[in-house]
Structure formats: C-alpha cells, structure tokens
C-alpha cells in the first residue's frame, strides 16, 4: 500500500497548532497561579506587619494551598502558630516539613530547630530534649545547647545542665564557668540533704576550681566546714573569699564574724573587715564589725559610734534606726512606738532586689525566683543600691 505524504503535510500544521494552544493554556494557568500565590503571601505579610495574626494565618494557609511545595511559607505559618500559642498546629506544620523527601538538608535542620522550639513553648520538655539533641553538629548546635541548658534548669537536672555548660564553655559561646559552678553547688546541696557530706565537699571544691572568682562555692564550703566544727578552716575559706570576690564582702561578713569568734581569730579578721568597710561602706560589714568589737570588751557606745560614723558618710535610715534603738530620748515613754515605726519603715530597705526583673526578697538568692537569672542579685541591700 502506498503511503500518502499529503496526510503528513496536513498533520504537521494541525499538530503545531494544538501544541501552540496547549502551551498558551499552560502559560496562562502558570501566570494565574503565580499571581495568586504572591498576592496571598504579600497579603499575609501585610497583616503580619499590622499585627493582625488571625488574618495573616488565613492568608498564609491560602498561599500554602496554592503552592504546597514552598517551605518558606510553611516556616512562616508554623512560626505564627507558635507565637499565637497554637503549639499543636505548629508541631504539625514542622513535622510535615520533616516528612518531605525533597527538603534540603539546611531546611531540614531549620525545621528540626523550629519543632524543638514548639515543644519547649508547649512545655513538652522530654520531646523538646529529643528534638534538640538531634541538632548536634548542625549550625543550630549552639542555640540547641542553650535551649537544653534552660530545659535542664527548669527540670532541675543539674548533672545534665553541668554537662551542657561544660560543652558551651569549651566552645566559642562565651564563658559558662560561673554557671557551671552554680550547677555543682546545686548538686552539692542535694548531697548535703542526703547526708553525703564527702560528696558535697568534693563538688564544692570542684566548683571553686572551675570558677575561682565565684563567691558561692567558698561561702557554702565554709558553711559545711563550720557545721562539722572546723571553724578555723571555715574562717580561712571566707578570708580567701574577701580577696577572690571583694564585691561579695557584704554576704561574707556575717558568717565570717561568726566563725572568727568560734575559732578565736577575731584579731585577724577584724582589721580585714575594717579595711573592706573603708573601701566600700556596707551595713552588713558594719554589723559584722560591731559584733566582733563587742567580743573584745568594747562598751555599748562603740556600736552607736559606728552607726554615727556611717551616717556621716551614708544617709541610711537603717543605720539611723539602729542608732536610735540604743539612745535615750527626751520623751522615753514614746520610744517603743517610735522604734516600732522606724523598724517597720526600714524593712523594705533591707531586702535584696534582682537587677534583671526587680523581684525583691528578704534573703539573697543566687538564682532569681522571678526571672530565673543567675547572679542577678547584688550583694548589697536595696537601701545601698
């Protein structure tokens, strides 16, 4: 049978025309989709800038539906869910990203980090820990370790916190030696509660080596030694604290005075406290000096003289109240009422205040109960700040 070339000549223009129409249709559809997706995306961005999070979420969901393969839209949507407190939806978005086989390694690590933040915000600490540990060796490693550190602090898992702090201290993330010393002190406190004094002492000595300028390990070691009856060693430990951490002298003064009296080392300690007071007057140091001088046979006027001397240099209502307590007033029958009013007035002035959040407390804390910041409480009381 002869092959008719006329059919080829007729078919070629027809095939060309159909192909051209198909391409035009595809291009038109592509243009429509491209117009729709950026429009929804930019609308969501506009809502976000205007702090209209509900409308922004709706717009981003629409954009994701038009282009489900775009990872950036998923990240934006997941972060919005987390900011709104919709942690379950944020987790679903980021888990969906991690389940995609076409996701780049960089985006996979980013999604893993976002998922860990979702768990942290939701308070799912165990799942957050698992997610953060998977970020070891990634660009998010330092951030993950910091988050793990906060996680272990919240759960009071001090050995794990110490392990992470050691890794951070050995990296380029800054110095964590002071934080590590606190973790060792917390572990020592747990051993003391359990009656394991040897382990507690070992940890405190390790903390002193880790952070030589940190006052807490020395103060707590001195307390341990004093409880064991070794007042001389406790006194020596606190004396070294005056040199290693002079800013903590107001915290050291009272226990140092006690162990100095117990060990018979008042003549040695008293000049040191007086020298510290001359350099930086403090009510706590002043009280320690008064207590030590009282043991050397000084009469009652010495204490009042110290309070007057303090008032000459520092306008202190606390010192004034203490001075008046030992004075005879013209109308002595009203002295108790006046003294009671003064004591009530000075109570807020004798508190400690967190420099980070302003939380006030009667006692000094190494970690603020309010904002959980370490070393945010100055050694001086509110009146002296």
């Amino acid at each position: 049978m002869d092959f008719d070339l006329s059919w080829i000549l007729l078919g070629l223009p027809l095939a060309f025309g159909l192909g051209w129409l198909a391409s035009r249709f595809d291009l038109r559809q592509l243009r429509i989709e491209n117009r729709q997706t950026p429009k929804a995306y930019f609308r969501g961005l506009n809502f976000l800038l205007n702090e209209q999070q509900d409308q922004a979420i709706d717009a981003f969901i629409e954009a994701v539906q038009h282009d489900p393969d775009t990872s950036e839209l998923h990240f934006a949507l997941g972060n919005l869910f987390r900011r709104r407190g919709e942690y379950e939806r944020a987790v679903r978005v980021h888990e969906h990203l991690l389940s995609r086989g076409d996701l780049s390694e960089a985006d996979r690590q980013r999604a893993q980090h976002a998922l860990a933040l979702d768990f942290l915000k939701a308070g799912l600490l165990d799942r957050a820990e698992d997610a953060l540990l998977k970020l070891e060796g990634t660009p998010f490693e330092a951030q993950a370790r910091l988050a793990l550190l906060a996680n272990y602090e919240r759960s009071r898992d001090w050995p794990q916190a110490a392990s992470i702090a050691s890794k951070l201290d050995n990296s380029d993330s800054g110095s964590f030696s002071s934080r590590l010393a606190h973790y060792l002190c917390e572990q020592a406190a747990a051993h003391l509660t359990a009656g394991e004094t040897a382990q507690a002492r070992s940890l405190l000595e390790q903390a002193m080596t880790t952070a030589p300028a940190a006052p807490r390990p020395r103060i707590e070691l001195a307390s341990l030694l004093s409880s064991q009856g070794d007042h001389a060693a406790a006194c020596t430990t606190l004396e070294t604290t005056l040199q290693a951490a002079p800013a903590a002298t107001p915290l050291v003064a009272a226990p140092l005075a006690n162990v100095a009296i117990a060990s018979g080392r008042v003549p040695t300690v008293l000049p040191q406290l007086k020298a510290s007071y001359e350099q930086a007057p403090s009510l706590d140091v002043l009280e320690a000096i008064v207590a030590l001088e009282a043991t050397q046979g000084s009469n009652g006027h010495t204490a009042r003289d110290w309070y007057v001397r303090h008032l000459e240099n520092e306008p202190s209502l606390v010192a004034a109240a203490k001075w008046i307590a030992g004075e005879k007033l013209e109308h002595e029958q009203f002295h108790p009422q006046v003294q009671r009013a003064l004591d009530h007035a000075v109570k807020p002035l004798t508190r400690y205040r967190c420099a980070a959040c302003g939380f006030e407390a009667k006692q000094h804390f190494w970690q603020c109960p309010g904002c959980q910041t370490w070393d945010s409480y100055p050694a001086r009381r509110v009146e002296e700040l």
Side-chain angles (χ1 to χ4, degrees):
M1 167 175 148
D2 295 335
F3 186 74
D4 191 354
L5 293 176
S6 61
W7 287 104
I8 297 177
L9 296 175
L10 290 173
L12 283 175
L14 181 60
F16 177 79
L18 292 173
W20 182 81
L21 287 173
S23 66
R24 294 295 296 174
F25 178 78
D26 289 342
L27 287 173
R28 182 183 177 188
Q29 185 66 24
L30 183 61
R31 290 194 191 98
I32 292 173
E33 292 178 356
N34 286 340
R35 281 197 299 269
Q36 288 176 341
T37 300
K39 186 177 181 181
Y41 176 78
F42 288 121
R43 189 167 65 250
L45 186 60
N46 183 55
F47 284 132
L48 191 59
L49 292 173
N50 289 307
E51 298 184 358
Q52 297 173 285
Q53 294 187 10
D54 290 335
Q55 294 90 331
I57 286 175
D58 293 337
F60 282 133
I61 289 176
E62 180 185 345
V64 168
Q65 289 172 345
H66 286 305
D67 191 1
D69 294 331
T70 304
S71 59
E72 287 299 330
L73 291 176
H74 285 80
F75 281 121
L77 194 57
N79 291 339
L80 269 176
F81 284 144
R82 190 194 312 129
R83 287 177 60 184
R84 281 178 51 82
E86 299 182 46
Y87 304 122
E88 186 177 349
R89 299 178 75 181
V91 167
R92 285 204 303 267
V93 169
H94 294 130
E95 285 182 337
H96 170 70
L97 278 171
L98 288 170
S99 68
R100 283 172 47 180
D102 62 336
L103 200 65
S104 68
E105 186 61 27
D107 280 345
R108 186 172 300 281
Q109 293 167 358
R110 182 180 171 191
Q112 184 67 42
H113 180 247
L115 182 63
L117 294 180
D118 296 338
F119 290 141
L120 280 175
K121 289 291 186 179
L124 303 173
L125 302 185
D126 291 341
R127 299 182 70 180
E129 180 181 356
D130 293 337
L132 289 167
L133 289 173
K134 293 178 181 178
L135 292 168
E136 285 288 327
T138 71
F140 295 96
E141 181 180 72
Q143 298 176 49
R145 285 176 176 175
L146 289 171
L148 276 171
L149 199 63
N151 193 6
Y152 291 138
E153 284 186 7
R154 288 177 63 184
S155 58
R156 303 188 69 80
D157 189 344
W158 303 119
Q160 289 282 21
S163 175
I164 295 296
S166 296
K167 292 180 181 178
L168 286 167
D169 196 49
N170 293 328
S171 65
D172 296 329
S173 303
S175 175
F176 283 80
S177 59
S178 178
R179 188 83 68 92
L180 180 55
H182 281 301
Y183 298 153
L184 293 170
C185 289
E186 293 290 345
Q187 293 178 68
H191 282 295
L192 280 176
T193 302
E196 300 166 346
T197 56
Q199 294 90 328
R201 179 169 180 172
S202 176
L203 285 167
L204 290 172
E205 290 172 348
Q206 183 183 344
M208 289 171 56
T209 304
T210 301
R216 182 183 181 182
R218 298 175 187 273
I219 293 173
E220 295 193 357
L221 178 60
S223 176
L224 173 58
L225 293 171
S226 180
S227 68
Q228 294 176 331
D230 195 349
H231 302 296
C235 187
T236 301
T237 302
L238 290 175
E239 285 180 284
T240 61
T241 310
L242 297 179
Q243 309 302 322
T249 299
L251 296 177
V252 176
L256 178 57
N258 291 334
V259 294
I261 294 170
S263 61
R265 297 179 60 176
V266 173
T268 304
V269 171
L270 184 57
Q272 296 181 61
L273 287 179
K274 286 183 177 180
S276 296
Y277 179 84
E278 292 297 331
Q279 293 178 3
S282 165
L283 284 169
D284 288 292
V285 178
L286 177 62
E287 288 294 312
I289 291 171
V290 169
L292 290 176
E293 286 199 337
T295 64
Q296 293 189 315
S298 301
N299 55 37
H301 294 289
T302 303
R304 293 198 294 275
D305 292 342
W306 272 103
Y307 292 136
V308 170
R309 179 181 176 183
H310 186 82
L311 287 169
E312 289 174 352
N313 299 313
E314 303 287 336
S316 169
L317 185 60
V318 177
K322 290 181 178 295
W323 178 80
I324 289 177
E327 287 295 305
K328 290 288 185 181
L329 303 183
E330 181 178 355
H331 301 284
E332 183 60 24
Q333 68 272 25
F334 301 121
H335 196 164
Q337 296 92 319
V338 173
Q339 192 64 48
R340 187 164 58 251
L342 285 173
D343 292 342
H344 179 74
V346 301
K347 277 184 179 180
L349 303 179
T350 59
R351 296 173 181 168
Y352 295 95
R353 179 188 296 154
C354 174
C357 70
F359 186 92
E360 293 187 3
K362 294 180 180 179
Q363 69 181 79
H364 182 274
F365 286 100
W366 299 109
Q367 184 184 28
C368 176
C371 64
Q372 306 302 308
T373 304
W374 291 98
D375 293 322
S376 59
Y377 274 84
R380 293 177 174 273
R381 300 177 188 271
V382 168
E383 188 186 53
E384 299 175 302
L385 297 177

